[in-house]
Each structure stands twice: as structure tokens, then as C-alpha cells.
Amino acid sequence: MKAGVITGDVAWALLQHAKENKYAIPAFNCTSTSTVNSVLEAGMKMGRPVMIQFSEGGAAFIAGKALPNEKGKLQASILGAVAGANFVRNVAPAYGIPVLVHSDHCAKKLLPWFDGMLDADEAFFKAHGEPLFLSHMLDLSEEPDEENIAICVKYLKRMAPMKIILEMEIGITGGVEDGVDNSGTAKEKLYSTPEDVYAVYENLNPISPMFTIAAAFGNVHGVYKAGNVVLSPKLLGDFQDYAGKKTGKDKPLCLVFHGGSGSTKEEIATALSNGIVKMNIDTDTQWAYWEGLLKFYKAKEGYLQGQIGNPEGEDKPNKSYYDPRKWIRECETSMVKRVQEACQDLSNVNPAS
Ligand SMILES: [Zn+2]
């Protein structure tokens, strides 16, 4: 497989290979070139594919917090996502690994962002014969199921000619992510049924087979103290069995795992054996990035109180400690380790030779 950003049939074949061989591609939320590079560095060290994803808020941050990002337009979110995707395209080949570029949760009120990214995909496709992004995620799980599926159908029709993968969500993932708070959701909505999930397959598959489903199985966005929501990755097996009986195919669904932070290795292993091909990781890498700085500050506190003067002398300069390249690099090396750990958890590793 070529190094750099992959899309279309090549990337879809990679996800099928993951499903057959019971590993998943970890998808990391990135909000800067620094976090992108951390993911790429970890992928290079592992010699394995990685996925970079931009949320609507994260994309706006990439473009710059000062830019206008009006409701109904979301111009900074569009600009930042496109800039982020182009940055990954430019640097990824140098890292020598396949890289997948995705956009994260898009709720109904954020559809102008989705439309803007598809405009960019179409322009890129016209020029290069492939889309800018591998895939986009449409999260209409807060809407009634019929409306959710109908909007997904509409968008998949626009995406299919470019072979862009649609990731959709059915059922509600609990917790808070990127400002969307589902912590008060009724318990039964936190678990999808096999019928709910099959309805998605039945409606989308005739348009294009290139879609993935984030079904709810008691997963929660972010890390919380254990509450009354129980993660049940066994349910994913029920979804596959039901869809399998209906279609006569073995494990016909391509499933994705949202809210994976804080899951046990056993829970992840069960999810992998039930056809999870991608898992989102955000909260755990956010902590790792911050912890790199925390540890550096604690270790070098005496060198970080002024431009001049440290424990070695009143006139000693501290430039080499407060240069952003120094402390941001500490964040990066800490995040690289956590990204590698996520690859291992998802069995996204090369067999020992
Ligand atoms: Zn989700």
C-alpha cells in the first residue's frame, strides 16, 4: 500500500482487511499540526496505518479562533478542515505509512460544514481524480431514526460517485463531546437494537457499500466515573448476526466504536471480534498531550519563571526552556506514546517477524 493519504477502493479494502483480521484503525482527533505530527510519528514508529480526524470545533481551531464562524455558515470550520486535510496530504508521504483523513461528528445544525467539505472534495476530485477526505461522519442520532436515515441517504448519493465513505450514528452515545451534551439521555436510547442497525444497512447499501455504522452499545464519549451505563460490545455481535441472517453474508456490517476512551482491553477485544474497523480516540490523547507539558514544567520549574535567572545562576538565560519548540515537543512525545498504545490495543500492529 502506498505511503501518504489513501482514499476510495484502496482505503475501503484496508477497512475490510481490518474486519477480516480483527484489528481496527484508531482515529485520533487533531486540532493542530503538532497533534497531526504526533499521530503520524507514532504511525511511522509502528509501521502501521493511522486515521486523523477533525471535529467541527477542532477544524475551526486549526483555521484560528479569531476568524468568524457564523451559525449557518461555519466558514472557519470549513476552512480549517480543508487546511488540515491538505496539510496531512502534504506531509504524510514523508512518514512512509498509509494515512486516512476523516471528519468527525456533524450534527444537523452543522450541515453547512459538511456541505463545505463536500464542495472541497468535489473540487479536489475534479483536479486529482480522488476526494480530499477519505470519509465524513454524519451524526443525526438526535433526530428520529427515519429522518436520520433519510438525510444519510441523500448525502451518500452525493458522496458515492467520489467513493467517499459515510460514517453514520444510530442510537445515542452518552457523555459530552465537542460541546454536545448527551449525559441526560434516557437509558434505552443508549443501546441500539439489531432492527435499528439493519434498517441503516438496508437503506444505504443499495446506494453504495462504502458506509460504516456507529451503533450505540452503552458507549460514552469521554472518560467518566463508572455510572449506570454498561458497555456491552457483545451487542455488536447481535447486530452482525441479525444482518447476517437477513443478507446471507457473514458479518455484513462495518462498525465503528465511539466513546472508546477508558474501555478495558477485554471490551475492545470483544468489539474487534464483532467487526469494529475504527475506534475514535480523543480524550486519552488530549490528556497525554497535556501530561507531557505538566511533567516538563514540574521538572524544569526553576527554569521557567523568567527570561533570565534559574537555579544555575541569576544571569543564566532560559530561552532553551521556554521556546515553544521545547515544551510542545514534550507534549508531542507524550502523545506519540499514547497513540502507539492505542494501536496496540486495537491490534493495529505488524506481526512479530
Ligand atoms: Zn458518536
Side-chain angles (χ1 to χ4, degrees):
M1 199 166 285
K2 71 162 187 158
V5 168
I6 57 167
T7 60
D9 290 330
V10 175
W12 186 246
L14 173 64
L15 295 179
Q16 299 307 314
H17 184 264
K19 186 162 87 170
E20 280 157 29
N21 293 279
K22 298 186 172 52
Y23 66 93
I25 309 295
F28 301 95
N29 284 74
C30 292
T31 55
S32 62
T33 56
S34 170
T35 44
V36 165
N37 292 343
S38 303
V39 175
L40 296 177
E41 181 178 340
M44 179 172 69
K45 285 187 162 141
M46 306 284 292
R48 295 295 301 179
V50 285
M51 193 181 295
I52 285 165
Q53 62 185 21
F54 303 111
S55 70
E56 183 266 335
F61 188 86
I62 288 173
K65 288 295 278 181
L67 292 181
N69 202 28
E70 297 151 62
K71 265 186 196 167
K73 286 188 178 169
L74 300 172
Q75 57 273 56
S77 298
I78 297 166
L79 183 62
V82 170
N86 275 301
F87 175 75
V88 178
R89 276 195 173 270
N90 289 345
V91 299
Y95 286 84
I97 47 161
V99 179
L100 302 99
V101 184
H102 173 73
S103 67
D104 198 11
H105 290 81
C106 178
K108 196 176 174 184
K109 64 178 181 205
L110 302 179
L111 284 175
W113 176 52
F114 206 89
D115 290 323
M117 289 188 291
L118 286 182
D119 290 343
D121 282 316
E122 282 164 353
F124 199 90
F125 190 86
K126 223 175 161 184
H128 306 283
E130 67 167 334
L132 178 61
F133 291 84
L134 162 82
S135 52
H136 298 290
M137 201 259 151
L138 207 44
D139 177 13
L140 303 160
S141 57
E142 283 175 80
E143 316 307 326
D145 284 3
E146 297 71 32
E147 188 185 353
N148 179 349
I149 292 172
I151 297 174
C152 287
V153 163
K154 184 186 131 195
Y155 276 101
L156 188 59
K157 282 180 181 165
R158 186 174 169 193
M159 294 158 80
M162 295 182 279
K163 296 192 174 176
I164 302 176
I165 300 166
L166 172 68
E167 179 182 319
M168 68 83 70
E169 184 155 335
I170 188 110
I172 290 181
T173 302
V176 182
E177 187 166 51
D178 214 27
V180 179
D181 185 352
N182 291 327
S183 52
T185 304
K187 211 177 162 186
E188 60 274 13
K189 282 205 163 183
L190 299 171
Y191 300 95
S192 300
T193 66
E195 290 83 1
D196 297 340
V197 178
Y198 182 66
V200 175
Y201 182 91
E202 211 179 10
N203 283 280
L204 297 187
N205 199 55
I207 303 163
S208 163
M210 295 168 101
F211 62 91
T212 61
I213 305 171
F217 53 103
N219 34 346
V220 173
H221 285 140
V223 175
Y224 292 85
K225 283 183 187 167
N228 56 356
V229 185
V230 181
L231 188 75
S232 311
K234 276 196 187 114
L235 273 180
L236 301 170
D238 298 345
F239 303 157
Q240 293 284 16
D241 289 346
Y242 185 85
K245 273 188 201 121
K246 289 276 187 183
T247 59
K249 293 176 193 161
D250 184 40
K251 288 192 187 131
L253 308 170
C254 267
L255 299 167
V256 298
F257 190 162
H258 288 189
S261 286
S263 307
T264 67
K265 314 274 175 204
E266 291 73 25
E267 287 164 342
I268 292 171
T270 306
L272 291 177
S273 68
N274 288 324
I276 287 283
V277 298
K278 166 188 182 261
M279 186 169 110
N280 291 354
I281 297 122
D282 185 12
T283 314
D284 287 342
T285 39
Q286 284 181 339
W287 173 257
Y289 194 86
W290 157 248
E291 195 180 32
L293 179 54
L294 177 67
K295 285 182 176 167
F296 174 71
Y297 182 80
K298 282 183 176 170
K300 302 293 177 194
E301 195 172 353
Y303 298 80
L304 291 162
Q305 302 309 311
Q307 286 186 269
I308 307 285
N310 61 44
E312 291 168 45
E314 276 179 19
D315 55 354
K316 297 283 186 198
N318 293 322
K319 184 173 160 44
S320 64
Y321 297 94
Y322 63 76
D323 181 332
R325 286 171 296 181
K326 177 65 188 172
W327 49 269
I328 290 175
R329 182 62 187 153
E330 299 290 332
C331 301
E332 290 177 353
T333 51
S334 177
M335 181 165 163
V336 168
K337 281 192 199 119
R338 189 61 188 81
V339 170
Q340 287 181 275
E341 192 186 321
C343 288
Q344 265 144 11
D345 290 346
L346 297 180
S347 302
N348 182 34
V349 292
N350 286 322
S353 51

Short mmCIF file of all heavy atoms in Angstrom, two decimals, residues 88-119:
data_model
loop_
_atom_site.label_atom_id
_atom_site.label_comp_id
_atom_site.label_asym_id
_atom_site.label_seq_id
_atom_site.Cartn_x
_atom_site.Cartn_y
_atom_site.Cartn_z
N VAL A 88 -2.11 17.33 6.00
CA VAL A 88 -1.84 15.89 6.13
C VAL A 88 -1.41 15.32 4.77
O VAL A 88 -0.44 14.56 4.69
CB VAL A 88 -3.08 15.13 6.66
CG1 VAL A 88 -2.80 13.63 6.73
CG2 VAL A 88 -3.48 15.65 8.04
N ARG A 89 -2.13 15.71 3.71
CA ARG A 89 -1.76 15.22 2.37
C ARG A 89 -0.32 15.58 2.02
O ARG A 89 0.39 14.79 1.40
CB ARG A 89 -2.69 15.83 1.31
CG ARG A 89 -3.97 15.06 1.17
CD ARG A 89 -4.71 15.43 -0.12
NE ARG A 89 -5.84 14.53 -0.27
CZ ARG A 89 -5.79 13.37 -0.92
NH1 ARG A 89 -4.67 12.96 -1.49
NH2 ARG A 89 -6.86 12.60 -0.99
N ASN A 90 0.10 16.79 2.39
CA ASN A 90 1.45 17.23 2.02
C ASN A 90 2.54 16.49 2.79
O ASN A 90 3.58 16.16 2.22
CB ASN A 90 1.60 18.74 2.26
CG ASN A 90 0.79 19.55 1.25
OD1 ASN A 90 0.35 19.03 0.22
ND2 ASN A 90 0.58 20.81 1.52
N VAL A 91 2.33 16.26 4.09
CA VAL A 91 3.43 15.69 4.88
C VAL A 91 3.37 14.16 5.00
O VAL A 91 4.39 13.52 5.21
CB VAL A 91 3.54 16.32 6.29
CG1 VAL A 91 3.81 17.81 6.19
CG2 VAL A 91 2.32 16.03 7.15
N ALA A 92 2.18 13.57 4.86
CA ALA A 92 2.02 12.13 5.13
C ALA A 92 2.98 11.23 4.33
O ALA A 92 3.52 10.28 4.90
CB ALA A 92 0.57 11.70 4.92
N PRO A 93 3.22 11.50 3.04
CA PRO A 93 4.11 10.58 2.30
C PRO A 93 5.50 10.47 2.94
O PRO A 93 6.12 9.41 2.90
CB PRO A 93 4.20 11.22 0.90
CG PRO A 93 2.94 12.02 0.77
CD PRO A 93 2.67 12.55 2.16
N ALA A 94 5.98 11.55 3.55
CA ALA A 94 7.31 11.54 4.16
C ALA A 94 7.38 10.60 5.37
O ALA A 94 8.47 10.18 5.76
CB ALA A 94 7.71 12.96 4.58
N TYR A 95 6.22 10.29 5.96
CA TYR A 95 6.20 9.39 7.12
C TYR A 95 6.16 7.91 6.71
O TYR A 95 6.29 7.03 7.55
CB TYR A 95 5.02 9.73 8.04
CG TYR A 95 5.26 11.00 8.84
CD1 TYR A 95 4.98 12.26 8.30
CD2 TYR A 95 5.76 10.95 10.14
CE1 TYR A 95 5.20 13.42 9.02
CE2 TYR A 95 5.98 12.11 10.88
CZ TYR A 95 5.70 13.33 10.31
OH TYR A 95 5.93 14.48 11.02
N GLY A 96 5.95 7.66 5.43
CA GLY A 96 6.08 6.29 4.91
C GLY A 96 4.96 5.32 5.26
O GLY A 96 5.14 4.11 5.16
N ILE A 97 3.81 5.83 5.68
CA ILE A 97 2.69 4.95 6.07
C ILE A 97 1.39 5.40 5.37
O ILE A 97 1.28 6.57 5.01
CB ILE A 97 2.44 4.98 7.61
CG1 ILE A 97 2.42 6.45 8.10
CG2 ILE A 97 3.47 4.14 8.35
CD1 ILE A 97 1.77 6.65 9.44
N PRO A 98 0.43 4.49 5.21
CA PRO A 98 -0.88 4.93 4.71
C PRO A 98 -1.60 5.74 5.79
O PRO A 98 -1.57 5.37 6.96
CB PRO A 98 -1.63 3.62 4.45
CG PRO A 98 -0.63 2.52 4.58
CD PRO A 98 0.47 3.04 5.46
N VAL A 99 -2.22 6.84 5.38
CA VAL A 99 -2.91 7.71 6.33
C VAL A 99 -4.33 7.97 5.83
O VAL A 99 -4.55 8.21 4.63
CB VAL A 99 -2.15 9.05 6.50
CG1 VAL A 99 -2.89 9.97 7.47
CG2 VAL A 99 -0.72 8.79 6.98
N LEU A 100 -5.28 7.90 6.75
CA LEU A 100 -6.69 8.12 6.41
C LEU A 100 -7.14 9.43 7.04
O LEU A 100 -6.83 9.69 8.20
CB LEU A 100 -7.53 6.94 6.92
CG LEU A 100 -7.09 5.57 6.36
CD1 LEU A 100 -6.22 4.82 7.36
CD2 LEU A 100 -8.28 4.73 5.98
N VAL A 101 -7.85 10.25 6.27
CA VAL A 101 -8.28 11.57 6.76
C VAL A 101 -9.81 11.63 6.77
O VAL A 101 -10.47 11.39 5.75
CB VAL A 101 -7.71 12.71 5.90
CG1 VAL A 101 -8.10 14.06 6.51
CG2 VAL A 101 -6.20 12.60 5.78
N HIS A 102 -10.33 11.98 7.93
CA HIS A 102 -11.77 11.85 8.20
C HIS A 102 -12.25 13.10 8.92
O HIS A 102 -11.50 13.75 9.63
CB HIS A 102 -11.94 10.60 9.08
CG HIS A 102 -13.31 10.35 9.61
ND1 HIS A 102 -14.34 9.92 8.82
CD2 HIS A 102 -13.82 10.44 10.86
CE1 HIS A 102 -15.43 9.76 9.57
NE2 HIS A 102 -15.13 10.08 10.81
N SER A 103 -13.55 13.42 8.75
CA SER A 103 -14.14 14.47 9.58
C SER A 103 -15.10 13.83 10.57
O SER A 103 -15.85 12.92 10.23
CB SER A 103 -14.84 15.53 8.73
OG SER A 103 -15.98 15.00 8.10
N ASP A 104 -15.06 14.33 11.80
CA ASP A 104 -15.78 13.74 12.93
C ASP A 104 -17.21 14.29 13.02
O ASP A 104 -17.62 15.12 12.20
CB ASP A 104 -14.96 14.02 14.21
CG ASP A 104 -15.33 13.11 15.36
OD1 ASP A 104 -16.06 12.13 15.15
OD2 ASP A 104 -14.88 13.39 16.49
N HIS A 105 -17.94 13.85 14.04
CA HIS A 105 -19.36 14.17 14.28
C HIS A 105 -19.86 15.47 13.62
O HIS A 105 -19.37 16.56 13.91
CB HIS A 105 -19.60 14.30 15.79
CG HIS A 105 -19.52 12.99 16.50
ND1 HIS A 105 -18.33 12.44 16.87
CD2 HIS A 105 -20.48 12.13 16.90
CE1 HIS A 105 -18.55 11.28 17.47
NE2 HIS A 105 -19.85 11.07 17.50
N CYS A 106 -20.89 15.33 12.80
CA CYS A 106 -21.57 16.50 12.26
C CYS A 106 -23.06 16.37 12.54
O CYS A 106 -23.74 15.56 11.93
CB CYS A 106 -21.32 16.62 10.75
SG CYS A 106 -22.20 18.01 10.03
N ALA A 107 -23.54 17.14 13.50
CA ALA A 107 -24.97 17.14 13.84
C ALA A 107 -25.74 17.98 12.82
O ALA A 107 -25.14 18.69 12.01
CB ALA A 107 -25.17 17.69 15.25
N LYS A 108 -27.06 17.90 12.88
CA LYS A 108 -27.92 18.56 11.89
C LYS A 108 -27.61 20.06 11.75
O LYS A 108 -27.53 20.58 10.65
CB LYS A 108 -29.39 18.34 12.28
CG LYS A 108 -30.37 18.64 11.17
CD LYS A 108 -31.78 18.30 11.64
CE LYS A 108 -32.81 18.71 10.61
NZ LYS A 108 -34.18 18.46 11.12
N LYS A 109 -27.42 20.71 12.90
CA LYS A 109 -27.18 22.17 12.83
C LYS A 109 -25.82 22.51 12.22
O LYS A 109 -25.56 23.67 11.89
CB LYS A 109 -27.31 22.78 14.24
CG LYS A 109 -26.26 22.26 15.20
CD LYS A 109 -26.37 22.91 16.58
CE LYS A 109 -25.26 22.34 17.46
NZ LYS A 109 -25.47 22.35 18.84
N LEU A 110 -24.95 21.50 12.05
CA LEU A 110 -23.62 21.74 11.49
C LEU A 110 -23.53 21.34 10.01
O LEU A 110 -22.44 21.34 9.43
CB LEU A 110 -22.56 20.97 12.29
CG LEU A 110 -22.48 21.28 13.79
CD1 LEU A 110 -21.40 20.43 14.45
CD2 LEU A 110 -22.20 22.76 14.03
N LEU A 111 -24.68 21.02 9.39
CA LEU A 111 -24.63 20.56 7.99
C LEU A 111 -23.94 21.52 7.01
O LEU A 111 -23.33 21.07 6.05
CB LEU A 111 -26.05 20.20 7.50
CG LEU A 111 -26.59 18.86 8.03
CD1 LEU A 111 -28.04 18.65 7.61
CD2 LEU A 111 -25.73 17.68 7.59
N PRO A 112 -23.99 22.85 7.25
CA PRO A 112 -23.22 23.72 6.34
C PRO A 112 -21.72 23.38 6.32
O PRO A 112 -21.06 23.54 5.28
CB PRO A 112 -23.45 25.13 6.92
CG PRO A 112 -24.76 25.02 7.65
CD PRO A 112 -24.79 23.62 8.21
N TRP A 113 -21.20 22.89 7.44
CA TRP A 113 -19.80 22.45 7.50
C TRP A 113 -19.61 21.24 6.59
O TRP A 113 -18.67 21.17 5.80
CB TRP A 113 -19.46 22.10 8.96
CG TRP A 113 -18.08 21.54 9.18
CD1 TRP A 113 -16.90 22.08 8.76
CD2 TRP A 113 -17.75 20.34 9.91
NE1 TRP A 113 -15.85 21.28 9.17
CE2 TRP A 113 -16.34 20.21 9.88
CE3 TRP A 113 -18.50 19.37 10.58
CZ2 TRP A 113 -15.66 19.15 10.49
CZ3 TRP A 113 -17.83 18.33 11.19
CH2 TRP A 113 -16.43 18.22 11.15
N PHE A 114 -20.53 20.29 6.68
CA PHE A 114 -20.48 19.07 5.86
C PHE A 114 -20.53 19.43 4.38
O PHE A 114 -19.74 18.95 3.57
CB PHE A 114 -21.68 18.18 6.24
CG PHE A 114 -21.47 16.72 5.99
CD1 PHE A 114 -20.91 15.90 6.95
CD2 PHE A 114 -21.86 16.15 4.77
CE1 PHE A 114 -20.74 14.54 6.72
CE2 PHE A 114 -21.68 14.80 4.53
CZ PHE A 114 -21.12 13.98 5.52
N ASP A 115 -21.47 20.33 4.03
CA ASP A 115 -21.61 20.76 2.62
C ASP A 115 -20.33 21.41 2.13
O ASP A 115 -19.90 21.17 1.00
CB ASP A 115 -22.78 21.75 2.49
CG ASP A 115 -24.13 21.07 2.70
OD1 ASP A 115 -24.29 19.91 2.28
OD2 ASP A 115 -25.03 21.70 3.29
N GLY A 116 -19.72 22.23 2.98
CA GLY A 116 -18.48 22.92 2.59
C GLY A 116 -17.34 21.95 2.33
O GLY A 116 -16.56 22.11 1.39
N MET A 117 -17.25 20.91 3.17
CA MET A 117 -16.18 19.91 2.97
C MET A 117 -16.44 19.11 1.69
O MET A 117 -15.50 18.77 0.97
CB MET A 117 -16.08 18.99 4.18
CG MET A 117 -15.50 19.68 5.41
SD MET A 117 -15.18 18.54 6.78
CE MET A 117 -16.84 18.09 7.28
N LEU A 118 -17.73 18.81 1.42
CA LEU A 118 -18.03 18.07 0.18
C LEU A 118 -17.73 18.92 -1.06
O LEU A 118 -17.28 18.39 -2.08
CB LEU A 118 -19.49 17.60 0.17
CG LEU A 118 -19.83 16.42 1.09
CD1 LEU A 118 -21.30 16.03 0.93
CD2 LEU A 118 -18.95 15.21 0.82
N ASP A 119 -17.96 20.23 -0.96
CA ASP A 119 -17.58 21.13 -2.07
C ASP A 119 -16.07 20.99 -2.33
O ASP A 119 -15.63 20.91 -3.48
CB ASP A 119 -17.89 22.59 -1.73
CG ASP A 119 -19.40 22.88 -1.69
OD1 ASP A 119 -20.18 22.06 -2.23
OD2 ASP A 119 -19.79 23.91 -1.11
#
